Amino acid sequence: MGLVSPGAVGGVKVALTVKQSKTGTMLRATALLLGLAASASAISPLPLSGSLGGNVKSTAGVVQMGATVILYNRYDRAIRQVLTNEDGSFRFDSLLPDVYSLRVSLSSFIPAFKRNIAIRPGFHSVLTINMASMLSSIEFVSSSPIKGSLMSDDWKWVLRSSQSTRPVLRYADLGPSIKVAKSRTNVFSETRGIVKVSAGDATSFAGTTAQPDLGTAFAIATSLFGSNQFEISGNFGYSAHTGMPTAGFRTQFTRSTGGMRTPELTVSMHQVYLPTRGGFGPQLGQDAPSLRTMAISTYDELGVTDRIRIEYGMSAESMSLLNRLNVLSPFARLTFDMGHAGSVQLGYSNGATATELVEHSRDGREFRESAALDRDLSALAALPRVSLRNDHLAAQRTENIELGYRKVAGSREYSAGVFHERVRDGAVTLAGSGELFDGDVLPDLGSQSAVFNTGRFNRWGYVASVTQNVGDRVEISVAYGRGGALTTSGRTLTTDDADALRKLIHLQERNWATARVAGTVPGSGTRISASYGWADYRSLMPSHLYLTQRLTPEPGLNIIVRQPLPSVAGVPGRFEASAELRNLLEQGYLSVTSTDGRTMLLTNAPRALRGGLSFIF
């Protein structure tokens, strides 16, 4: 005989069953648990979590119902999402003590966001959000104690799902008469996209983005039946040197089931027609050799404990030009959260660039609607850094081990890191080579320069940076570092042999520094980012993709401007104009002189000026 107490949970009947052989033990355990809870409540409430709420209004004081409110954790990942009710209010309960960020968006209004919202146990924090067509804002109002209890609903669910207490509760099969209504979900929802048209100087293969901007790009993200997330991006255009079409496409899929996310699966393909010059192409009996690549990658993350998180994945890439080349690239990153003392990260990658890790370490200060889509386009542009060596295609492979530390103290962020990398078949841009080095230079698509294979090198490096937020509109960052740089020590190239040039280039320790200012102009909404990177002009600092740092140093003077444009009547979206000026002072160039007086320049950051128009919907 068993003791059964039927009840109902969410329209489904539940039966409480206790086996007769264990009745005494279970009753004593239940009485002890209730006694402890009652005694603790009698002494004083001990809340283990806090809450956050607020009210959304327009500048005229009208409450806004249906506004989307997204809560981000300290890793800038969305953890909760709600809609404001008829009073324009929202609330997030059972929040663990930590630092959060909040973003509020509503059609016809500029999104508002706020960082560094501290949640304390037993306190309810209140925010006031003012939505405007030009500049929205979020203000902190108060933080007052709330009525807490020893166990929150999350803890109660943990007890109900525990292996030791699970036999107490079970779902009773009371027949087929009980039906659970299923809510209908739209086939496509939360669809957003961006279309970008740009023109100007193209980026080199060996540059930071590693692929020329082809002029037209798009990205679309949507949800299929509410649990399947699709992101599709592409870029295409015609080469000014070959007149042949060039394109790249990238698709990403993620599925969420029962609050669990499956690993992200990404497939990308590129086809790039290269110009025929310097003896490249015609000897193969073809007018326009094409570089074709296809890559499949996965990314997943695992929460080992509340403070330890692991991100890991792998990419497999196949490329062909004069020959076929396959590259397998694993990567991983471990994050240990030390609370108020900061966080420590350990990253590792081997092979191609770990764009998936960089894509998921975005800066939480960029809560623009198109930020995620811009990251998709940046990941699509990350073509493998390829070069030629003895008429054979070679891809740059980097084994990188990096240790980083990060701490947020109020409006200031401190960060430091150290790395060691081994580079094989390094690729840099070579200008002024002319007809030299046949079979060892790859014509660049966007310029008259070429890509040169520098061979192997190993180097150490470290970086330290400080970022200061001035309100919610201005951010100032400074960074200093030291690492191995490529130099020739002023020596002259005596032969026209590519191996001689590789032997002439060697590593020496060099210092570098970077300062960056980014902000939003009140009223117009113009976003401006300006940075200046200094380094020894007699050396070339190889570009390094940081796995644990948010600030990526760029040589020279760099300015990026984004200007929102007025909406067009009847068009359900908005326009944005952009301008990018890279390395205006032409710094980070390594000069090589030959005995016949020829001068060549090696760089990984050529000067570039581009402008574009984006339509965001």
Side-chain angles (χ1 to χ4, degrees), residues 117-132:
I117 304 175
I119 299 299
R120 295 184 295 170
F123 281 80
H124 175 67
S125 301
V126 181
L127 303 175
T128 296
I129 297 93
N130 296 315
M131 306 297 293

Side-chain angles (χ1 to χ4, degrees), residues 96 131 148 160 172 261 356 372 380 385 408 427 433 511 543 562:
L96 295 178
M131 306 297 293
R160 287 196 296 267
R261 290 172 60 91
E356 290 80 6
L380 173 67
R385 298 183 180 181
V408 177
S433 61
N511 300 323
S543 59
R562 295 179 179 270

Side-chain angles (χ1 to χ4, degrees), residues 357-407:
L357 285 183
V358 179
E359 186 179 2
H360 286 82
S361 60
R362 66 179 178 88
D363 197 331
R365 291 174 286 272
E366 289 290 338
F367 283 123
R368 295 183 291 109
E369 291 182 357
S370 60
L373 301 177
D374 286 338
R375 293 194 304 273
D376 290 341
L377 295 179
S378 298
L380 173 67
L383 197 71
R385 298 183 180 181
V386 293
S387 59
L388 285 183
R389 187 164 185 176
N390 299 325
D391 284 323
H392 283 78
L393 181 67
Q396 177 174 317
R397 307 186 187 190
T398 304
E399 183 182 9
N400 179 29
I401 301 177
E402 185 175 332
L403 179 65
Y405 171 77
R406 174 173 173 256
K407 179 180 180 180

Side-chain angles (χ1 to χ4, degrees), residues 485-500:
L486 303 179
T487 182
T488 61
S489 300
R491 293 183 293 178
T492 302
L493 181 64
T494 57
T495 67
D496 294 339
D497 183 40
D499 290 332

Side-chain angles (χ1 to χ4, degrees), residues 233-283:
S233 57
N235 55 8
F236 54 91
Y238 287 85
S239 171
H241 298 280
T242 65
M244 302 295 291
T246 299
F249 295 93
R250 181 176 185 266
T251 303
Q252 185 178 93
F253 171 76
T254 305
R255 178 177 175 83
S256 301
T257 305
M260 301 295 294
R261 290 172 60 91
T262 60
E264 293 181 358
L265 178 64
T266 304
V267 179
S268 59
M269 294 174 288
H270 299 85
Q271 178 169 284
V272 180
Y273 285 94
L274 302 178
T276 57
R277 62 171 181 264
F280 176 78
Q283 76 277 13

Side-chain angles (χ1 to χ4, degrees), residues 548-617:
T548 64
Q549 305 297 309
R550 297 177 182 269
L551 181 63
T552 301
E554 298 183 48
L557 179 61
N558 306 274
I559 301 176
I560 301 176
V561 181
R562 295 179 179 270
Q563 175 61 58
L565 301 179
S567 302
V568 179
V571 179
R574 61 185 179 89
F575 291 90
E576 181 181 87
S578 61
E580 297 186 13
L581 300 90
R582 302 285 185 179
N583 200 1
L584 292 180
L585 302 181
E586 298 184 351
Q587 295 179 312
Y589 286 39
L590 175 61
S591 177
V592 179
T593 305
S594 62
T595 53
D596 59 358
R598 185 190 301 267
T599 301
M600 294 169 285
L601 297 176
L602 294 169
T603 182
N604 55 15
R607 181 184 63 87
L609 295 91
R610 297 197 62 83
L613 179 65
S614 302
F615 174 62
I616 305 167
F617 60 92

